[in-house]
Amino acid sequence: EEDPGGGGGGGALARRLAAELTTPDAAGPVAVEGLALELVAELARGRVMAATRHPPKWLLEAEELVRAQFRTPTSVGAIARTIRIDPATLARAYRRQYRCTVGERIRMLRVDHAARELLETDDPLSTIALAAGFYDQSHFTNVFRRQLGITPAAYREEHGR
């Protein structure tokens, strides 16, 4: 997917962007925004930055913000403003370092949080869905099933609650 010479990265980003546009969920706009910014930067620069073992402090701060705010609506732009970095730079560096977009990370964190809640509480699925940042129970069920291959209700039942 990533081409150090910059020849194939734009195509891969465009395919991921197209896929995100057909996945309507709460994290979709963040993922689309991040991928679009990356695509513009990639095409403008014609190169790919490699992941580093020691990411810059601002990138670690961005990850901390994503982890702290995953249940609330946000955007790559808002995170970038908070850490005072260009949104395209953030989107590109984040994906390269963490191997996913900001939107994908938010979705993963929401599903992980909801999975824990399913096992630790008797709260209704709709309550868990909203508390994790999903639009509604249906949206939660679709994203959860796509990520884990099982519905939230089946997950709860299978794991003893």
Side-chain angles (χ1 to χ4, degrees):
E1 176 176 317
E2 293 180 4
D3 175 8
L13 285 170
R15 285 188 296 280
R16 290 180 67 198
L17 180 58
E20 279 296 338
L21 290 169
T22 62
T23 307
D25 64 17
V30 176
V32 167
E33 177 189 22
L35 286 167
L37 289 167
E38 282 187 74
L39 183 58
V40 168
E42 181 76 19
L43 295 173
R45 291 194 176 116
R47 64 180 173 82
V48 176
M49 186 175 83
T52 61
R53 283 188 152 177
H54 304 289
K57 183 179 178 188
W58 59 262
L59 190 54
L60 297 173
E61 290 172 14
E63 174 66 1
E64 286 178 30
L65 282 170
V66 167
R67 288 183 175 277
Q69 300 174 0
F70 71 89
R71 292 184 283 178
T72 59
T74 191
S75 69
V76 173
I79 294 168
R81 279 189 300 280
T82 301
I83 61 173
R84 294 186 169 100
I85 195 80
D86 179 72
T89 300
L90 171 60
R92 185 178 58 257
Y94 192 96
R95 185 178 62 80
R96 297 234 166 46
Q97 183 66 39
Y98 297 108
R99 306 284 187 228
C100 64
T101 65
V102 172
E104 289 166 341
R105 172 74 83 210
I106 289 170
R107 252 187 241 116
M108 285 186 268
L109 291 168
R110 286 177 178 173
V111 168
D112 288 347
H113 173 77
R116 281 191 308 276
E117 291 297 302
L118 287 167
L119 300 181
E120 295 173 2
T121 73
D122 289 322
D123 291 347
L125 295 181
S126 59
T127 301
I128 291 172
L130 294 175
F134 294 97
Y135 286 137
D136 56 30
Q137 183 177 335
S138 174
H139 173 236
F140 166 52
T141 299
N142 290 331
V143 172
F144 194 96
R145 182 177 41 233
R146 268 196 317 264
Q147 262 194 276
L148 299 182
I150 188 171
T151 65
Y155 180 87
R156 178 180 261 172
E157 188 175 308
E158 187 175 295
H159 292 85
R161 234 173 151 54

